[in-house]
Amino acid sequence: MISPLPVRNGVNATRLRIPSSGGWESVCEYMLHRFGHVDAEGIVRRFETGEVVGLGGVPLNPTTPLGEHEFVWYYRNLPTETPIPFTESILYQDEHLLVIDKPHFLPTTPGGRFIQQSALVRLRNRVNNPDLIPMHRLDRATAGVLLFSTNPETRGAYQTLFERREISKTYEAISALVEVDGRPPGEVMGVGGLGGRAEDRSGNFIPGAAGIGNSLLTAAELEAQLASFPVVYRNRMSKIKGQLRSLVEAGEPNAESLIELINVGSSAGHFPGLRVAKFRLSPHTGKTHQLRVHLAALGLGILNDPFYPTLLDLAPDDYTRPLQLLARSISFTDPISNQPVTYTSAQELSESPGLLG
């Protein structure tokens, strides 16, 4: 459904579905019921000034009755945002695609407390293209290669590549092999466990111990695990809407990743001298947090991951300790030029090992 309101300041208008009946005489009353605790005066003002519209851009007023419109559109008041102190780099741009190297901490799309401070809104304003749309997503915590469609007329050709799994992606990740801040090495994420609502983010972590439902590998088992790579790891995963974490389930696998060990050595980053392992990961499926879960399920959870294998207490962003996961490259045959292309991140994970040791 196409919005009757244009993109403004890089942000789409919000669409809201209105019930056809209920205890409200007007659309305005319904919206006051839903959102009046946030900004009642602002809602009424939008109706009085014609800023709430229906299909075709028809403006609503404070007395427009319930049932007259199934959907309405309006612009949200944008919150004051703290700038994220990292800038995305443009790797490639033409009339069909825009490819960036996304920094850690920058969300792909606007949401919650990040609107202007999202890759999509930043880029729409930066290149002056309101038609820009991401072709896939990276977690806010993950850095690396991210593709955007710049042209609605050719967007479907690129979407088809993703739908047919004709896109090859590689990632890199760093795992700690010794205890870090009380998180023990070799913690294996178990089946089931905590999905993690916002209110669950306290008291789950006990220093030096495995989280509920998890287990610990011995030092010998951890070394044997390292010696077993490369592996194709498969499991069954699910994600409940509104919860923070994906869960491992018993049953037929629906997630698959090729995991290769690049090297083992000592970090020269925030944790100098820390013994770490660096991995190359190639997902064959695209489940939420798949690579983070797969490494955690092997007892090699990614360094600085607040979700896996145990959900940590909510804490402010620490820009010196980004999640050690990087979308290194993406490859495919371009559907417009019919030529093979590869786009590669220029970033390096800050805790990458140096000499073997």
Side-chain angles (χ1 to χ4, degrees):
M1 188 178 296
I2 299 175
S3 171
L5 294 177
V7 171
R8 187 171 75 178
N9 297 323
V11 183
N12 295 89
T14 296
R15 185 183 74 176
L16 179 67
R17 186 168 192 164
I18 306 298
S20 59
S21 61
W24 313 277
E25 292 187 2
S26 67
V27 177
C28 182
E29 283 189 15
Y30 171 73
M31 289 186 64
L32 286 170
H33 170 76
R34 286 281 307 275
F35 310 114
H37 64 286
V38 177
D39 183 17
E41 291 183 2
I43 291 171
V44 173
R45 184 174 62 252
R46 285 188 182 89
F47 279 94
E48 291 175 341
T49 56
E51 295 180 55
V52 181
V53 304
L55 276 175
V58 177
L60 282 67
N61 60 51
T63 62
T64 300
L66 206 69
E68 191 166 301
H69 294 270
E70 183 179 4
F71 293 98
V72 299
W73 287 261
Y74 62 96
Y75 295 111
R76 286 194 301 162
N77 286 332
L78 300 183
T80 301
E81 299 178 54
T82 301
I84 294 172
F86 307 105
T87 301
E88 66 287 348
S89 300
I90 294 178
L91 298 174
Y92 178 81
Q93 183 178 5
D94 65 16
E95 61 183 304
H96 308 291
L97 276 184
L98 176 65
V99 186
I100 69 164
D101 207 351
K102 187 186 85 67
H104 296 283
F105 301 103
L106 183 69
T108 299
T109 55
R113 59 194 175 98
F114 301 105
I115 306 298
Q116 292 292 328
Q117 294 300 310
S118 63
L120 175 60
V121 175
R122 278 188 179 186
L123 289 165
R124 279 178 172 175
N125 293 325
R126 179 176 172 179
V127 303
N128 192 29
N129 184 353
D131 292 325
L132 206 65
I133 292 293
M135 300 307 300
H136 60 117
R137 297 193 182 194
L138 292 177
D139 294 338
R140 187 171 82 89
T142 304
V145 180
L146 183 60
L147 269 60
F148 292 80
S149 163
T150 63
N151 187 341
E153 293 184 2
T154 58
R155 185 166 298 153
Y158 292 96
Q159 288 173 330
T160 298
L161 295 179
F162 284 90
E163 292 167 0
R164 294 178 177 174
R165 297 183 180 176
E166 295 175 354
I167 301 275
S168 296
K169 301 177 186 177
T170 63
Y171 291 73
E172 292 174 4
I174 307 293
S175 301
L177 302 178
V178 294
E179 185 172 307
V180 179
D181 291 341
R183 301 188 83 168
E187 182 177 356
V188 176
M189 181 178 174
V191 174
L194 182 71
R197 299 166 297 175
E199 55 267 34
D200 292 329
R201 293 205 66 176
S202 64
N204 302 299
F205 171 62
I206 300 174
I212 296 174
N214 296 346
S215 60
L216 294 179
L217 298 177
T218 65
E221 288 171 335
L222 183 57
E223 291 303 315
Q225 187 74 281
L226 290 172
S228 70
F229 292 101
V231 300
V232 175
Y233 186 79
R234 303 177 182 89
N235 70 354
R236 184 168 188 82
M237 294 174 52
S238 68
K239 176 76 163 55
I240 300 172
K241 186 176 181 180
Q243 299 205 350
L244 301 171
R245 306 201 318 157
S246 290
L247 298 178
V248 176
E249 298 181 327
E252 185 71 20
N254 61 2
E256 179 179 298
S257 305
L258 169 63
I259 306 175
E260 302 167 276
L261 178 65
I262 297 175
N263 66 336
V264 174
S266 297
S267 169
H270 182 81
F271 301 101
L274 183 75
R275 187 167 184 257
V276 295
K278 185 173 185 177
F279 297 95
R280 180 182 300 109
L281 306 103
S282 303
H284 298 161
T285 51
K287 298 297 181 182
T288 301
H289 297 171
Q290 177 175 314
L291 300 178
R292 296 164 71 176
V293 170
H294 280 183
L295 279 175
L298 290 168
L300 293 159
I302 298 175
L303 184 58
N304 299 333
D305 193 336
F307 287 4
Y308 307 100
T310 298
L311 183 64
L312 301 185
D313 291 2
L314 181 63
D317 288 337
D318 183 344
Y319 295 138
T320 69
R321 297 176 58 174
L323 176 73
Q324 295 296 288
L325 179 61
L326 173 69
R328 172 59 71 194
S329 67
I330 187 166
S331 303
F332 55 93
T333 297
D334 189 282
I336 307 302
S337 68
N338 290 319
Q339 296 299 309
V341 294
T342 297
Y343 302 106
T344 304
S345 172
Q347 300 181 71
E348 295 294 338
L349 292 169
S350 59
E351 306 294 343
S352 291
L355 296 176
L356 293 177

